[in-house]
Amino acid sequence: MADASTVKIKTPAFDVEAIRKDFPILSQTVHGKPLIYLDNAATTQKPRQVIDRMYKFESEEYGTVRRGAYKISEHSTQLYEESRQKMAGFLGAPTKDEIVFTSGTTQAINLVAYSYGRKFIGAGDEIIISNIEHHANTVPWQVLCEEKGAVLKVIPVNDDGDLVMEEYDRLLNAKTKLVAVNHVSNALGTVNPIKEIIRKAHDAGAKVMIDGAQSAPHMKIDVQDLDCDFYTFSGHKMYAPSGIGGLFGKMEVLETMPPYVTGGDMILQVTLEKSTYQKPPSRFEAGTPPISQVIGLGEAIDYLNAIGIEKIGEYEHSLLEYGTRLLSDIEGLRIIGQAREKAALISFYLEDAHPHDVVTILDEDGIAVRGGHHCAQPTMKRFGVPATTRASMSFYNTPEELDALAASIQRCIKIFS
Amino acid sequence: MSYNKELYQRVILDHNKNPKNFREIKNATHSSHGFNPLCGDDYTVYLTVDDDEVIQDAGFVGAGCAISKSSASLMTATLKGKKIDEARVIFDQFHKMVLGELDPEKDENRLGKLKLFVGIREYPSRIKCASLGWHTAIAALDKAEDITTE
Ligand SMILES: Cc1ncc(COP(=O)(O)O)c(C=O)c1O
């Protein structure tokens, strides 16, 4: 096994020890061992800056948004809209009103399915997803197809975990109304060639929704350059609280869409007979939103920007390379997903130990990883495994933690041999 | 409580590697399929029950984690020769033990070797693994064809 001291991670500008001090949870212990948190694809930890900002907001500034004409409400509304502006900047959206807040990616995809999908997709129309999607980007389309008599088509994936683009070319046709794929697969780590996917879909006259849950926190996103129609995100996967997320939608598309959830805040005028709707994004944000979570999201974006998303991506990539090398050396371990381009995530399968047992053994060593089907059962089926163990990295992880991961996996193999 | 908290004890690991009664029973009187959608554990349990309601034979096939497999293995060994009513009582005691509601050292029980699984109570996320085989066997006796743990 390689030794951390002999393998230097070549990112001199990146002071991971200083960064780790920003994350209070990283100094916790589990079963008497220092916590090694490697389940970042499921959810990320929060820096003190985000926690403190929310604490300050809750204790000194909290008021409702978009309603009250008094000081603290106006102030809350301003902070709320500033977060929207920050999110727009983070994704490269042209205007802040093209950012719609939802509870997360799941709800954002449902918004597109129910609002856009119900209006614009009909019998015989086709929707294209891929074989490596999260259930959140599978089930809403199945439901819509069933309701409308539309047809769901699936881009296959090769043994490495790359989408078979020739098949995608074949699937696209005049009936294709929407292509919905993830930017990064949460089960395999594959970074999909979404720019090409988007361009080809547009050439065929289809709209494109990108599930960005796994990509937004790890790489530079520019929705204008990508030219996607929708791009979703989840706050809790980008160092912000859970309960907040949303999507970018092109204004020209959002404007054509009816409300998805109805009630207060999304209307212009209500009489007992009929209501007229607000413009986007308010049209899609009925009810009182998770205010402090939105403020926290804004703070998380500031935090990420201060480090620099490119630098984060570079460092995480060096972790991925290091971890892949370490795990490849383990006999009996099969890495599931070796795509040309990958995010910092390693899904693996041990011949003799089931992922659930692996997770329990690793937990005894303080290591938090995910074992299961990662809400991607069709992907597991494609690769012939019931489940995998997944170590997903963040810029606060270290090569030493990956050494501990490899050692713990070895211990596991020994127990089950 | 003085029990071995260790989850992966030798006996459990041995039953995982070489499960007992790991076979289909072609002319079983009862069978059922159990599935845990969370982790993909998937077993079919077969029972042969005679006219006196005695379980003459028990077997299982399928795939899953070490806990679910060793538990199903020990279960089949336990069930053979038991009356249906007894099987239900033992399942109830087993279930209570893994939930931490029954102390096998203090409370009266007929768990025997199944006490090995007492450590499960320290791992709430694994209770379903330990009880999947049992739920499936009980469903077979109840004549339910398919069960999931969700
Ligand atoms: C690729 C992908 N899409 C969608 C989701 C769902 O996100 P959320 O649970 O935040 O709605 C996840 C999270 O697990 C994901 O990884």
Side-chain angles (χ1 to χ4, degrees):
Chain A
M1 203 172 62
D3 174 1
S5 56
T6 63
V7 185
K8 285 279 177 290
I9 293 253
K10 284 194 281 313
T11 42
F14 202 85
D15 186 353
V16 67
E17 282 316 316
I19 280 169
R20 288 178 68 82
K21 293 204 178 78
D22 288 337
F23 290 81
I25 201 165
L26 297 180
S27 52
Q28 293 294 307
T29 56
V30 172
H31 303 302
K33 310 264 173 59
L35 169 65
I36 295 179
Y37 187 74
L38 289 170
D39 197 15
N40 295 288
T43 201
T44 48
Q45 301 296 346
K46 292 169 209 56
R48 192 171 24 77
Q49 287 84 341
V50 169
I51 300 166
D52 288 353
R53 183 66 193 93
M54 289 170 72
Y55 179 81
K56 178 172 185 289
F57 177 71
E58 294 280 4
S59 41
E60 297 172 20
E61 303 162 281
Y62 180 81
T64 192
V65 292
R66 303 180 299 201
R67 290 176 188 177
Y70 46 88
K71 185 71 196 145
I72 58 167
S73 172
E74 282 171 347
H75 177 67
S76 284
T77 305
Q78 189 190 337
L79 291 173
Y80 184 85
E81 291 303 320
E82 275 171 21
S83 279
R84 195 192 302 281
Q85 182 67 58
K86 287 175 189 177
M87 194 67 221
F90 193 67
L91 296 179
T95 67
K96 81 174 175 64
D97 289 343
E98 289 166 293
I99 300 295
V100 178
F101 286 132
T102 68
S103 63
T105 290
T106 301
Q107 207 199 337
I109 297 174
N110 275 277
L111 190 162
V112 177
Y114 282 90
S115 170
Y116 184 84
R118 272 199 182 141
K119 181 162 172 192
F120 293 106
I121 293 169
D125 287 344
E126 295 178 1
I127 298 171
I128 297 178
I129 61 170
S130 88
N131 200 179
I132 50 173
E133 299 302 320
H134 192 279
H135 294 165
N137 193 34
T138 304
V139 185
W141 308 117
Q142 290 172 338
V143 171
L144 181 71
C145 285
E146 190 154 322
E147 185 183 315
K148 293 290 186 174
V151 185
L152 193 61
K153 301 276 179 174
V154 181
I155 312 169
V157 61
N158 68 21
D159 290 343
D160 288 338
D162 283 308
L163 295 184
V164 184
M165 292 299 282
E166 302 77 48
E167 287 300 320
Y168 174 59
D169 294 343
R170 266 194 277 277
L171 290 176
L172 280 169
N173 67 70
K175 286 184 279 184
T176 311
K177 285 283 151 23
L178 184 82
V179 176
V181 293
N182 57 36
H183 195 167
V184 170
S185 149
N186 67 306
L188 306 179
T190 308
V191 180
N192 288 318
I194 58 166
K195 203 166 168 182
E196 181 185 346
I197 289 174
I198 294 163
R199 181 173 48 76
K200 288 178 168 167
H202 284 166
D203 287 348
K207 295 272 187 277
V208 186
M209 190 215 79
I210 302 295
D211 170 353
Q214 292 296 341
S215 40
H218 304 291
M219 58 188 71
K220 180 89 195 98
I221 310 295
D222 184 339
V223 292
Q224 291 187 76
D225 178 54
L226 291 169
D227 196 32
C228 54
D229 300 283
F230 303 101
Y231 196 101
T232 70
F233 59 91
S234 289
H236 71 97
K237 293 186 200 286
M238 46 186 287
Y239 313 95
S242 55
I244 185 63
L247 60 89
F248 155 80
K250 279 182 184 165
M251 186 50 80
E252 72 211 54
V253 182
L254 289 176
E255 275 171 343
T256 63
M257 290 163 52
Y260 154 51
V261 177
T262 56
D265 287 331
M266 47 73 64
I267 38 76
L268 271 181
Q269 199 176 24
V270 178
T271 66
L272 287 176
E273 291 75 37
K274 188 170 163 51
S275 307
T276 48
Y277 309 129
Q278 286 271 22
K279 289 216 257 310
S282 303
R283 185 185 299 169
F284 305 106
E285 293 180 3
T288 303
I291 303 168
S292 143
Q293 284 80 345
V294 169
I295 311 300
L297 175 66
E299 193 66 28
I301 291 168
D302 287 346
Y303 183 83
L304 291 171
N305 285 339
I307 300 172
I309 197 80
E310 277 98 351
K311 247 195 226 169
I312 287 173
E314 208 178 300
Y315 177 75
E316 288 176 349
H317 211 263
S318 61
L319 285 178
L320 172 69
E321 273 179 15
Y322 181 62
T324 303
R325 228 179 314 145
L326 275 183
L327 267 52
S328 300
D329 283 347
I330 297 177
E331 213 172 307
L333 183 149
R334 183 178 145 208
I335 294 181
I336 310 286
Q338 311 243 36
R340 280 187 294 262
E341 201 186 332
K342 268 186 76 174
L345 167 174
I346 306 174
S347 232
F348 61 92
Y349 192 74
L350 297 180
E351 259 148 47
D352 294 324
H354 190 279
H356 255 196
D357 299 314
V358 178
V359 170
T360 299
I361 303 282
L362 265 57
D363 181 50
E364 289 171 359
D365 292 334
I367 302 172
V369 294
R370 173 92 180 268
H373 54 58
H374 317 292
C375 298
Q377 283 175 350
T379 313
M380 299 294 111
K381 192 161 174 219
R382 165 63 181 81
F383 286 88
V385 292
T388 71
T389 310
R390 179 187 70 190
S392 51
M393 296 150 241
S394 154
F395 58 85
Y396 47 57
N397 291 122
T398 66
E400 290 76 14
E401 289 182 317
L402 298 177
D403 288 330
L405 170 72
S408 191
I409 293 172
Q410 295 280 15
R411 187 170 81 82
C412 202
I413 290 174
K414 217 158 156 199
I415 291 175
F416 287 97
S417 67
Chain B
M1 209 180 356
S2 62
Y3 60 82
N4 190 343
K5 275 196 191 158
E6 205 185 319
L7 189 56
Y8 295 102
Q9 299 172 52
R10 198 69 258 164
V11 182
I12 290 181
L13 292 170
D14 287 347
H15 274 268
N16 175 47
K17 272 208 110 170
N18 300 303
K20 298 264 190 298
N21 308 306
F22 195 57
R23 58 188 159 81
E24 182 181 342
I25 301 173
K26 283 270 184 274
N27 42 12
T29 52
H30 298 64
S31 72
S32 184
H33 174 230
F35 179 60
N36 181 345
L38 263 177
C39 56
D41 285 3
D42 191 323
Y43 296 102
T44 303
V45 173
Y46 304 91
L47 302 169
T48 309
V49 181
D50 68 14
D51 292 343
D52 298 325
E53 298 214 321
V54 175
I55 299 169
Q56 292 295 351
D57 199 4
F60 77 110
V61 296
C65 67
I67 300 301
S68 60
K69 192 178 257 178
S70 59
S71 175
S73 169
L74 276 150
M75 172 190 79
T76 53
T78 302
L79 288 182
K80 281 202 216 177
K82 297 279 189 311
K83 289 200 74 158
I84 288 182
D85 287 350
E86 256 181 302
R88 290 184 192 277
V89 169
I90 294 173
F91 166 63
D92 186 55
Q93 292 175 347
F94 180 80
H95 202 224
K96 285 195 167 121
M97 174 183 73
V98 295
L99 287 172
E101 293 166 9
L102 179 148
D103 180 346
E105 301 304 327
K106 280 201 231 121
D107 304 323
E108 208 183 300
N109 66 77
R110 298 188 223 165
L111 289 166
K113 266 193 181 166
L114 301 173
K115 284 180 200 161
L116 275 174
F117 289 96
V118 67
I120 288 282
R121 61 180 59 193
E122 306 287 337
Y123 300 83
S125 65
R126 305 305 299 275
I127 291 170
K128 281 179 181 164
C129 309
S131 46
L132 179 60
W134 282 97
H135 280 295
T136 311
I138 297 297
L141 293 173
D142 291 343
K143 293 275 184 205
E145 309 253 301
D146 268 299
I147 66 142
T148 75
T149 54
E150 289 307 286

